[in-house]
Amino acid sequence: MDINLIKSQFPIFTKKIKGKPLVYLDSSNSSQKPTSVLNSLDYFYRNEFSNIGRSIHSLAVNATNKYEETRTSIKNFINANSKDEIVFTKNATESINLVASTFGQENIKKGDEILITELEHHSNYVPWHYLRETKGAIIKFAPINDDGDIIISKLKELITSKTKIIAVTHLSNVTGTIVPIKEIVEIARKKNIPVLVDGCQSAPHIKIDVKDLDCDFYAISAHKVYGPTGVGILYGKKKWLEKLPPYIGGGGMINEVNKDKITYASVPEKYEAGTMPTAEVIAFNESIKFMESIGIQNIIKHEKELTNYALEKLKKINSVKIIGNPKNKAGVISFVIKGIHPHDISTIVDEEGVAIRAGHHCCQILHNRLNLSATARASIGVYNTKEDIDILCKAIENCRKVFELK
Amino acid sequence: MDINLIKSQFPIFTKKIKGKPLVYLDSSNSSQKPTSVLNSLDYFYRNEFSNIGRSIHSLAVNATNKYEETRTSIKNFINANSKDEIVFTKNATESINLVASTFGQENIKKGDEILITELEHHSNYVPWHYLRETKGAIIKFAPINDDGDIIISKLKELITSKTKIIAVTHLSNVTGTIVPIKEIVEIARKKNIPVLVDGCQSAPHIKIDVKDLDCDFYAISAHKVYGPTGVGILYGKKKWLEKLPPYIGGGGMINEVNKDKITYASVPEKYEAGTMPTAEVIAFNESIKFMESIGIQNIIKHEKELTNYALEKLKKINSVKIIGNPKNKAGVISFVIKGIHPHDISTIVDEEGVAIRAGHHCCQILHNRLNLSATARASIGVYNTKEDIDILCKAIENCRKVFELK
Amino acid sequence: MDLKELYQDIILEHGKSPKNFGKCEKYTHEAKGHNPLCGDQVHVYLKLNNEKNVDNVTFEGTGCAISIASTSIMTELVKGKSLETAKKIVIDFLNMIKNTQEIKSNDLDEDQKIKIMSLSGVKQYPMRVKCATLAWHTLTSAINGKKEEVNTEVID
Amino acid sequence: MDLKELYQDIILEHGKSPKNFGKCEKYTHEAKGHNPLCGDQVHVYLKLNNEKNVDNVTFEGTGCAISIASTSIMTELVKGKSLETAKKIVIDFLNMIKNTQEIKSNDLDEDQKIKIMSLSGVKQYPMRVKCATLAWHTLTSAINGKKEEVNTEVID
Ligand SMILES: Cc1ncc(COP(=O)(O)O)c(C=O)c1O
Ligand SMILES: Cc1ncc(COP(=O)(O)O)c(C=O)c1O
């Protein structure tokens, strides 16, 4: 894998921030996009633009075919059984809301339990919280240990006869914990409990095989997988998507509409109401091709190396503390520096062209658990290099200088 | 207004369809995009991409500012009171669902009535139908006359003490009827009933002034207003947006999150959960600037002329029947030809490079009312010319030839 | 591509004056089909006799020329055939349209082969394939005694 | 832009060892403030005496150096002032940060002016402005006896 060749595919890396080359370490927030994706987007709008599905003129036929090609690519990318199991949404947050809302409608009653974990992003908590508010459901949080790993034995203990669904992240956007989803699904399967996986952070960084995981739902955001903004993906086992009621209602998701009765289209159209992010879905196909052109194993290897390199270097800096030490860690590195607030770190490293994130990263529960109000986070993408890490570390040293720490 | 100058801003019109220049008459479905919008999209992704709101590095600050600039532009474009009244969604369909769902939660009980019209697009019916299914609401349809105008006196009669909301289109996507929203709002205001306006078709074609209309909600899709796909807009009076419960839940729409309690952000953030279509929202600002650079009055004049020209020419073709003859008609022309099904018309004119739509246009109720199963529809955008209409008419003559009609 | 390959005279003829239109008497099987994209609708009525031969097959419905003609031609081709033969003809037709295979059946006479081939022009118009196949899927559904309406969004 | 303009020694000093930290006794007013973007939180306690002078003002909270320093400096500047003067200082400060106006107040001595000006570096860092203004909005809220938590998303 030639990292320079990869980096050169991302036009943004020719840009300067405050006169310095951009060191982008905020990929867990959103990734940068390769030229092929941007070219696809631009080409489609300039040469072939049309809405899909509804019209039957040549432009519409072409657009519809390309849109469906992306669906097929995603099916293959995550190894789904059928492309009908792939629903396009606006982001992973909507994907999770779709499941929480439709599943909740028919399967959650007062006193029923929803099991999530202390690692969850707000997007995998708030939608379930709504069922607490509207249905009187109970939300339980599987605890983590100080390393940032879910304590599986405790998760098991929290399952009762009232547990109706388990919703869990595949990869923590704070600690980088890679969660043993297969193990959790096996536990759930024995009790016939469906499992939703928040795959926002995993999709760009580890191999996803929904057949092997055997999970019921899997949520992804294209913009974190080197794709455009505005596109989310929901994988759902066909039996679920067929059984659950529709979500957003409108054009394109109906079968027959009468003044007293409406019947709905079959999946996946049933869940794709209104005009979709057509151009963005089509361009996302190039993101998948980009990932496949490198090979997920090569991506994993590169990012693992870089993560280890970064962890070692960061640990050597005085008063830097890495948050979490999970068994299996991806390139998400949250840290604090005694005496400097994460926002001050972010501002200071920004002067060196280094983009990191500071705050609770939409994980207040986790930060409460760790007794922190905020952390700084450097997160790695396939385009990052050891030099990026070196510059980050130098910038952190500069924080210590500005704050006159010894 | 120089139509050639306008057309030259749309790169797609240099393309050929089946060897013929593209005659795009499917703008009611989705409009083409000017170069400035595509350049903005491309520039942002290549040079400045970052997620908004969450990170505080330079890229994020810039992106956030630009995103908010679009909000301000929209506020001015529709003359809202405050930019906090502008919520970004994925499409107008989501905008309407947002209102139906959140308004319905607290304001609709069994037996309450929702008043819509026979003109409505499925996107302004299905979301309300959900409240019929889940809450036992009653949906009433204000009837139209054979011209395609809503019979206002009948609409008035349908209002009862149980009417909780009125949802009505501003411009029919089948008959081109421009609906007297102000009159309807005045009627509703007297009974304290809020009004949602589906502004999907009006936004690109007539002047919108929500303060003057005094409606409570207004839904728009960017992709029909010369903007990118993946962006919708909901205008809502601030008192409503503040009062109504949140919709999609997740990152960015919260204030404080605890294991037992969640508080939400203020509007509009409360309704913008998860990563938004950042790049597309930013590019949409150029769409508004494009419209403003021409001037809405010039757009109206040009499209009116073209519509009249088209109507006259089409009426002269044997066996062509125009659907609807509303008092105030925009450039949406649906028609049928005795002896040729609309799908056959669409296929045949497509051979001449003419893109029109055939079907029920997501308006089955209206088609039932008119006793039609499908119509052909030519819809006009700011870039269309008299030559486009001439080519359409010639292509229609060809339909008659292929079908050997006399 | 000449439009006349899609809209051959046979198609226009059947489209304008479909054969076997209406509800036949004493039908033993029926099924409905729907093409949500176009709004085409078809209702097929099938009468099998005791020897499992297609005594009669008729239809009602609305749709474009392709869809009406295809249904009309279908009824002509399977009427009088044994059920097994009818099934083979359906498979042959769908293979021709969707996989561009040749018509293999020995059960059609020359005239019938010309009729069925007249629908092959649709292969060049992907959005119209469903118009042509709707009736045939619906016939299969009727034969199999399925309760659900055929929906080309699901089938094709 | 030199980072030292943002992180002046005064700021670092107040950030590390804030003045008037804690809950003061017998406070007459209080208010909470929150910056959802950063997570900064502040709780201001104000004690007015019978002559409407600021007898005491203290705070609790967490946040970045800018936010803690700004709060600390604020408490120093308004302590001992009359309520009217305190209000004027708040307005002066917000005008300086948000509208880049000069400090007009005659109620601050030289040392105090240096302190308040030490926060002006934040103008170059738009995302950090809210960190600097949170405490001041919260003080206003306390003075006005508002029940709701101040939220910089709404205010700024
Ligand atoms: C009148 C009307 N309302 C609503 C919609 C739905 O818009 P969208 O598909 O962009 O959500 C449309 C467009 O299809 C429309 O024409
Ligand atoms: C673990 C996790 N889940 C969910 C989300 C929400 O994704 P989006 O904002 O794209 O909807 C994110 C990203 O912010 C995330 O990191």
Side-chain angles (χ1 to χ4, degrees):
Chain A
M1 185 183 127
D2 181 348
I3 181 68
N4 290 323
L5 202 69
I6 289 171
K7 199 153 191 165
S8 72
Q9 291 178 53
F10 290 78
I12 202 160
F13 292 120
T14 60
K15 301 298 163 254
K16 303 246 155 129
I17 301 295
K18 311 219 168 185
K20 313 268 167 66
L22 169 62
V23 173
Y24 190 76
L25 290 165
D26 198 18
S27 293
S28 287
N29 190 351
S30 194
S31 67
Q32 296 296 338
K33 327 298 174 199
T35 308
S36 59
V37 173
L38 305 182
N39 285 352
S40 164
L41 205 55
D42 199 53
Y43 184 87
F44 177 70
Y45 275 127
R46 279 178 202 268
N47 298 280
E48 307 182 330
F49 180 75
S50 162
N51 206 340
I52 58 159
R54 302 173 176 188
S55 295
I56 56 173
H57 51 71
S58 297
L59 287 175
V61 174
N62 175 61
T64 306
N65 289 342
K66 290 196 163 172
Y67 181 90
E68 291 302 323
E69 275 168 29
T70 300
R71 206 191 295 277
T72 303
S73 290
I74 295 169
K75 167 200 162 272
N76 294 332
F77 185 67
I78 66 170
N79 196 28
N81 265 312
S82 150
K83 81 190 194 65
D84 296 346
E85 298 181 322
I86 309 299
V87 173
F88 289 113
T89 61
K90 71 173 173 180
N91 52 29
T93 299
E94 188 194 347
S95 301
I96 299 172
N97 276 266
L98 190 166
V99 177
S101 170
T102 60
F103 181 87
Q105 265 178 66
E106 302 194 341
N107 300 282
I108 302 280
K109 303 181 307 296
K110 192 166 157 61
D112 280 346
E113 295 169 5
I114 295 159
L115 180 54
I116 69 174
T117 85
E118 289 181 339
L119 284 180
E120 300 316 311
H121 188 279
H122 294 159
S123 290
N124 199 21
Y125 170 27
V126 184
W128 306 108
H129 168 75
Y130 287 172
L131 295 174
R132 182 156 68 184
E133 301 263 288
T134 58
K135 296 262 188 167
I138 293 161
I139 298 182
K140 291 186 170 177
F141 295 82
I144 56 166
N145 60 24
D146 291 339
D147 286 341
D149 278 312
I150 297 170
I151 309 172
I152 300 291
S153 60
K154 299 258 180 185
L155 178 142
K156 227 166 163 169
E157 282 169 21
L158 286 171
I159 297 176
T160 74
S161 61
K162 290 198 163 287
T163 309
K164 287 289 143 62
I165 191 164
I166 299 175
V168 55
T169 189
H170 201 166
L171 204 165
S172 160
N173 65 314
V174 176
T175 56
T177 309
I178 299 174
V179 174
I181 295 297
K182 220 175 147 170
E183 199 180 334
I184 293 174
V185 173
E186 271 165 21
I187 294 167
R189 207 47 81 232
K190 285 191 196 125
K191 319 235 169 180
N192 235 335
I193 302 167
V195 177
L196 173 140
V197 179
D198 173 356
C200 259
Q201 294 297 336
S202 41
H205 301 301
I206 64 178
K207 172 77 194 139
I208 297 170
D209 183 332
V210 291
K211 230 180 273 170
D212 181 54
L213 293 175
D214 196 30
C215 57
D216 298 85
F217 302 101
Y218 203 95
I220 297 172
S221 265
H223 71 93
K224 296 194 202 258
V225 194
Y226 310 107
T229 46
V231 179
I233 291 138
L234 174 66
Y235 159 82
K237 279 188 182 166
K238 204 164 174 185
K239 62 163 194 195
W240 279 117
L241 296 183
E242 283 176 347
K243 189 158 55 184
L244 295 177
Y247 184 52
I248 292 184
M253 54 72 78
I254 54 85
N255 179 21
E256 226 176 314
V257 175
N258 288 297
K259 279 192 177 172
D260 54 354
K261 196 184 157 215
I262 295 178
T263 57
Y264 301 107
S266 43
V267 296
E269 281 76 17
K270 174 170 128 189
Y271 290 110
E272 296 183 1
T275 299
M276 297 297 290
T278 317
E280 292 71 25
V281 165
I282 289 172
F284 183 53
N285 207 351
E286 294 300 323
S287 309
I288 295 173
K289 285 186 197 158
F290 165 75
M291 297 243 336
E292 285 172 346
S293 76
I294 306 174
I296 188 72
Q297 291 311 330
N298 290 323
I299 294 173
I300 293 171
K301 185 159 165 283
H302 170 65
E303 294 182 359
K304 188 78 208 160
E305 263 174 43
L306 218 52
T307 305
N308 290 340
Y309 181 77
L311 287 173
E312 252 170 60
K313 276 203 83 159
L314 283 167
K315 279 178 191 162
K316 281 190 196 132
I317 304 175
N318 239 334
S319 51
V320 167
K321 194 182 151 218
I322 309 289
I323 304 305
N325 179 32
K327 283 194 201 110
N328 229 323
K329 185 180 172 83
V332 186
I333 304 173
S334 294
F335 60 96
V336 291
I337 304 179
K338 206 173 140 53
I340 317 181
H341 191 277
H343 288 111
D344 296 314
I345 302 174
S346 178
T347 295
I348 296 170
V349 303
D350 187 50
E351 288 296 308
E352 310 296 325
V354 179
I356 63 169
R357 188 165 166 197
H360 52 57
H361 321 304
C362 300
C363 291
Q364 286 189 16
I365 300 296
L366 179 57
H367 278 77
N368 290 349
R369 162 66 180 79
L370 299 170
N371 252 321
L372 296 163
S373 68
T375 52
R377 180 185 73 185
S379 54
I380 285 168
V382 63
Y383 31 62
N384 286 121
T385 61
K386 289 195 175 171
E387 291 81 71
D388 290 343
I389 304 300
D390 294 341
I391 296 170
L392 167 71
C393 291
K394 242 172 105 180
I396 290 176
E397 293 281 7
N398 192 38
C399 294
R400 296 175 36 81
K401 234 175 275 160
V402 170
F403 268 70
E404 296 165 8
L405 296 188
K406 280 176 304 257
Chain B
M1 186 184 126
D2 181 346
I3 181 68
N4 290 324
L5 203 68
I6 289 171
K7 199 152 192 165
S8 72
Q9 290 177 56
F10 289 78
I12 202 160
F13 292 120
T14 59
K15 301 299 163 256
K16 303 245 155 130
I17 300 295
K18 310 219 169 186
K20 313 267 167 64
L22 170 62
V23 174
Y24 190 74
L25 290 164
D26 197 18
S27 294
S28 287
N29 190 351
S30 193
S31 67
Q32 296 297 338
K33 328 296 173 199
T35 308
S36 59
V37 173
L38 305 183
N39 285 352
S40 164
L41 205 55
D42 200 52
Y43 184 87
F44 177 70
Y45 275 127
R46 280 178 202 268
N47 298 280
E48 306 182 330
F49 179 75
S50 163
N51 205 340
I52 58 160
R54 304 174 174 186
S55 294
I56 56 172
H57 51 71
S58 297
L59 287 174
V61 174
N62 174 63
T64 306
N65 290 342
K66 290 198 163 171
Y67 181 90
E68 291 303 322
E69 275 169 28
T70 299
R71 206 191 297 278
T72 303
S73 290
I74 294 169
K75 167 200 162 275
N76 295 332
F77 184 68
I78 66 171
N79 196 27
N81 266 311
S82 151
K83 80 189 193 68
D84 296 345
E85 297 181 321
I86 309 299
V87 174
F88 289 113
T89 61
K90 71 173 174 180
N91 53 29
T93 299
E94 189 194 347
S95 300
I96 299 171
N97 276 267
L98 191 165
V99 177
S101 170
T102 60
F103 181 87
Q105 264 177 67
E106 301 192 340
N107 300 283
I108 301 281
K109 302 181 308 294
K110 192 167 157 61
D112 281 345
E113 294 170 5
I114 295 159
L115 181 54
I116 69 175
T117 87
E118 289 181 336
L119 283 180
E120 301 315 313
H121 188 279
H122 294 159
S123 291
N124 199 21
Y125 170 28
V126 184
W128 306 109
H129 167 76
Y130 288 173
L131 295 174
R132 182 156 67 184
E133 302 262 289
T134 57
K135 296 259 188 171
I138 292 160
I139 298 181
K140 290 187 171 177
F141 295 83
I144 56 166
N145 61 23
D146 291 338
D147 286 341
D149 277 313
I150 296 170
I151 308 171
I152 300 290
S153 61
K154 299 257 177 184
L155 178 142
K156 229 166 161 170
E157 283 169 21
L158 286 172
I159 296 176
T160 74
S161 61
K162 292 198 163 285
T163 309
K164 288 288 143 63
I165 191 163
I166 299 175
V168 56
T169 189
H170 201 167
L171 204 166
S172 159
N173 63 314
V174 176
T175 57
T177 309
I178 299 174
V179 174
I181 295 297
K182 222 176 146 171
E183 200 180 332
I184 293 174
V185 173
E186 271 164 20
I187 294 167
R189 206 47 82 233
K190 284 190 196 126
K191 318 235 168 179
N192 235 336
I193 301 167
V195 178
L196 173 139
V197 180
D198 173 358
C200 258
Q201 294 298 335
S202 40
H205 301 300
I206 63 179
K207 172 77 194 138
I208 296 170
D209 183 333
V210 291
K211 231 180 272 173
D212 181 53
L213 294 174
D214 195 29
C215 57
D216 299 85
F217 303 100
Y218 202 95
I220 296 174
S221 266
H223 71 93
K224 297 194 202 258
V225 195
Y226 311 106
T229 45
V231 179
I233 291 138
L234 174 66
Y235 159 82
K237 281 190 180 164
K238 204 164 173 184
K239 63 163 193 194
W240 280 117
L241 296 183
E242 283 176 346
K243 191 157 55 183
L244 295 177
Y247 184 52
I248 291 184
M253 54 73 79
I254 54 85
N255 180 19
E256 227 176 312
V257 175
N258 288 295
K259 279 192 178 173
D260 53 355
K261 196 183 156 216
I262 295 177
T263 58
Y264 302 107
S266 43
V267 294
E269 281 76 16
K270 175 169 125 189
Y271 289 111
E272 297 183 359
T275 299
M276 297 298 289
T278 317
E280 293 70 25
V281 165
I282 289 172
F284 184 53
N285 207 353
E286 294 300 323
S287 309
I288 295 173
K289 285 185 197 159
F290 165 75
M291 297 248 326
E292 284 171 346
S293 76
I294 306 174
I296 188 73
Q297 292 311 331
N298 291 323
I299 294 173
I300 293 171
K301 184 160 166 281
H302 169 67
E303 293 182 358
K304 187 78 208 158
E305 264 174 42
L306 218 51
T307 306
N308 290 340
Y309 181 76
L311 286 172
E312 253 170 60
K313 276 203 81 158
L314 283 168
K315 279 177 191 162
K316 280 191 198 133
I317 304 175
N318 239 336
S319 50
V320 166
K321 193 182 153 222
I322 309 288
I323 305 306
N325 180 31
K327 283 195 200 110
N328 229 322
K329 184 180 171 85
V332 186
I333 305 173
S334 296
F335 60 95
V336 290
I337 304 179
K338 205 174 138 57
I340 316 183
H341 190 277
H343 288 110
D344 296 315
I345 301 174
S346 177
T347 296
I348 296 169
V349 303
D350 187 50
E351 289 296 309
E352 309 296 325
V354 179
I356 63 169
R357 188 166 166 195
H360 53 59
H361 320 303
C362 301
C363 290
Q364 287 188 15
I365 300 295
L366 179 58
H367 278 77
N368 289 348
R369 161 67 180 80
L370 299 170
N371 253 322
L372 294 164
S373 68
T375 52
R377 181 185 72 186
S379 55
I380 284 169
V382 64
Y383 33 61
N384 287 120
T385 61
K386 289 196 176 169
E387 291 83 70
D388 290 342
I389 305 299
D390 295 341
I391 295 170
L392 168 70
C393 290
K394 240 173 104 181
I396 290 176
E397 292 282 8
N398 193 38
C399 294
R400 294 176 36 81
K401 232 174 278 160
V402 171
F403 269 70
E404 294 163 10
L405 295 189
K406 282 175 300 255
Chain C
M1 172 76 195
D2 188 350
L3 275 165
K4 264 298 168 198
E5 270 182 54
L6 180 62
Y7 294 107
Q8 298 183 22
D9 285 343
I10 301 182
I11 304 276
L12 294 183
E13 201 54 50
H14 279 270
K16 208 154 59 183
S17 322
K19 302 294 190 301
N20 302 310
F21 195 87
K23 192 193 277 191
C24 65
E25 284 188 4
K26 298 185 188 154
Y27 58 88
T28 55
H29 297 66
E30 66 171 326
K32 282 185 183 181
H34 183 214
N35 176 349
L37 180 63
C38 297
D40 296 342
Q41 285 185 306
V42 66
H43 196 152
V44 169
Y45 303 93
L46 172 69
K47 182 167 178 252
L48 291 185
N49 64 15
N50 291 340
E51 290 79 42
K52 294 233 171 237
N53 290 330
V54 178
D55 239 25
N56 203 357
V57 54
T58 66
F59 77 103
E60 291 174 335
T62 57
C64 61
I66 308 293
S67 119
I68 298 290
S70 183
T71 318
S72 170
I73 288 170
M74 177 192 78
T75 59
E76 284 207 327
L77 298 196
V78 301
K79 203 164 160 174
K81 299 281 192 308
S82 75
L83 186 57
E84 283 319 300
T85 307
K87 282 184 188 171
K88 269 196 263 167
I89 296 171
V90 171
I91 291 169
D92 249 21
F93 172 79
L94 293 176
N95 271 333
M96 171 187 82
I97 295 289
K98 295 203 279 193
N99 310 327
T100 64
Q101 287 176 13
E102 303 224 331
I103 292 291
K104 290 196 209 103
S105 179
N106 300 319
D107 306 302
L108 300 175
D109 60 32
E110 271 319 298
D111 182 50
Q112 290 180 318
K113 278 195 184 150
I114 290 171
K115 275 188 192 156
I116 203 169
M117 286 307 295
S118 74
L119 287 159
S120 64
V122 92
K123 286 183 282 182
Q124 308 298 321
Y125 296 86
M127 292 309 255
R128 308 304 302 279
V129 165
K130 290 177 182 179
C131 307
T133 58
L134 176 63
W136 304 72
H137 287 306
T138 309
L139 177 62
T140 305
S141 181
I143 291 172
N144 295 337
K146 288 242 179 90
K147 287 271 174 298
E148 264 178 53
E149 188 178 82
V150 170
N151 185 318
T152 50
E153 283 296 319
V154 191
I155 294 277
D156 276 305
Chain D
M1 172 76 195
D2 188 351
L3 275 166
K4 265 298 168 195
E5 270 182 53
L6 179 61
Y7 294 106
Q8 297 183 21
D9 284 344
I10 301 181
I11 303 275
L12 294 182
E13 201 54 49
H14 278 269
K16 207 154 60 183
S17 322
K19 301 293 188 303
N20 302 310
F21 195 86
K23 192 193 276 189
C24 66
E25 284 188 6
K26 298 185 188 154
Y27 58 87
T28 56
H29 297 64
E30 65 171 325
K32 282 185 182 181
H34 182 215
N35 176 349
L37 181 63
C38 297
D40 295 343
Q41 285 184 305
V42 66
H43 195 151
V44 169
Y45 304 93
L46 173 69
K47 182 169 177 250
L48 291 185
N49 64 16
N50 290 340
E51 291 79 45
K52 293 233 171 239
N53 291 329
V54 178
D55 240 25
N56 203 356
V57 53
T58 65
F59 76 103
E60 293 174 333
T62 57
C64 62
I66 308 294
S67 121
I68 298 289
S70 183
T71 317
S72 170
I73 288 169
M74 177 192 78
T75 58
E76 282 206 329
L77 299 195
V78 301
K79 203 164 161 174
K81 301 283 192 306
S82 76
L83 186 58
E84 283 320 301
T85 308
K87 282 185 189 171
K88 269 196 263 168
I89 295 171
V90 171
I91 291 169
D92 250 22
F93 172 79
L94 292 176
N95 272 332
M96 170 187 83
I97 295 291
K98 295 203 279 194
N99 310 326
T100 63
Q101 287 175 13
E102 302 224 333
I103 293 292
K104 291 195 210 104
S105 178
N106 301 319
D107 307 301
L108 299 175
D109 60 31
E110 271 318 299
D111 181 49
Q112 289 180 321
K113 279 196 183 148
I114 290 172
K115 275 186 192 156
I116 203 169
M117 286 306 296
S118 74
L119 286 159
S120 64
V122 92
K123 286 183 282 183
Q124 307 299 320
Y125 296 85
M127 293 306 256
R128 308 305 301 279
V129 165
K130 289 177 183 179
C131 307
T133 59
L134 176 62
W136 303 73
H137 287 305
T138 309
L139 177 63
T140 305
S141 182
I143 291 170
N144 296 336
K146 290 243 179 87
K147 286 271 175 299
E148 264 179 50
E149 188 179 83
V150 170
N151 185 320
T152 50
E153 282 297 318
V154 191
I155 295 275
D156 276 306

